């Protein structure tokens, strides 16, 4: 069965960087795109963008251009999200999600990123 | 960007009730609409994809309908384990956008 397992919670200071990983199993990694989604605790969800797992090409939503980088370690079936120059408003639960019959069919468990001085 | 207007934002219902949740898109999204259930502290779970297709393993009391701009998620007979937040997602065009969510509680 398709599974996405994300790295653990992170506590960072403003200005620092963080890297979140999402390890996929149960399917051929390059068959489906990997999406990233932000959820501020108690609030709604926002699509951050996606990475083509076959070509490695990332696409960023407008609010996530500049400080956000999607990357792959295809040999390890892992997608990564790096956020640099962290701000308080980056505090959120971040999910990876991939497709099957539909995009966003399967989700990781989420990684809580807390930015606090 | 396509705006997804979800209603109601809060819903209280009794076990056995028929429950409906709506999502309205600001422009035509064909049938590229998914419905999710999210319980506290968990990842979203796909219930319905492409407006009316039931995801494998999801109970048949969940169903979806609609196309174009108006969509509905129906729970035919509410069960206690259905207490959760539900939201829609349009994947017709970038940027993909979500409804704000409907918090469903037991009366």
């Amino acid at each position: 069965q398709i599974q996405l397992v994300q790295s653990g919670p992170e506590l960072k200071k403003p200005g620092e960087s963080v890297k979140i990983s999402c390890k996929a199993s149960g399917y051929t990694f390059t068959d489906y795109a990997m999406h990233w989604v932000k959820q501020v605790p108690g609030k709604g969800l926002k699509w951050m963008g996606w990475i083509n797992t076959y070509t490695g090409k990332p696409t960023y939503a407008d609010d996530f251009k500049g400080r956000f980088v999607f990357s792959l370690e295809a040999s390890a079936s892992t997608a990564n999200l790096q956020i640099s120059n962290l701000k308080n408003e980056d505090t959120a639960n971040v999910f990876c999600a991939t497709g099957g019959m539909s995009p966003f069919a399967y989700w990781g468990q989420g990684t809580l990123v807390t930015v606090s001085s | 960007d396509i705006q997804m207007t979800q209603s109601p934002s809060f819903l209280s219902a009794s076990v056995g009730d028929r429950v409906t949740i709506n999502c309205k898109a600001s422009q035509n999204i064909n049938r590229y609409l998914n419905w999710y259930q999210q319980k506290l502290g968990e990842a979203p779970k796909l219930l319905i994809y492409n407006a009316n297709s039931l995801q494998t393993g999801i109970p048949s009391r969940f169903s979806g309908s609609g196309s174009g701009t108006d969509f509905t998620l129906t729970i035919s007979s509410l069960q206690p384990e259905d207490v959760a937040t539900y939201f829609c997602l349009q994947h017709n065009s970038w940027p993909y956008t979500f409804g704000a969510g409907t918090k469903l509680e037991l009366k």
Side-chain angles (χ1 to χ4, degrees), chain A residues 35 37 39 43-47 50 59 61-62 95 101-110, chain B residues 1 34 36 38 41-46 49-50 55 87 89 91 94-100:
Chain A
H35 296 266
V37 177
Q39 184 172 38
K43 304 282 187 182
L45 298 118
K46 192 159 191 176
W47 180 69
W50 69 287
T59 299
D62 283 349
F95 295 96
M101 296 300 292
S102 173
F104 303 89
Y106 302 95
W107 294 60
Q109 83 276 19
Chain B
D1 298 4
N34 292 357
Y36 296 86
Q38 188 178 27
E42 297 183 6
K45 178 195 290 186
L46 178 64
Y49 63 94
N50 295 345
Q55 172 71 340
F87 57 89
L89 161 70
H91 57 98
W94 301 342
Y96 298 150
T97 46
F98 294 85

Side-chain angles (χ1 to χ4, degrees), chain B residues 56-78:
Chain B
T56 304
I58 300 300
S60 59
R61 64 180 180 274
F62 291 93
S63 64
S65 63
S67 65
T69 60
D70 291 286
F71 301 85
T72 299
L73 172 70
T74 300
I75 308 173
S76 60
S77 177
L78 186 67

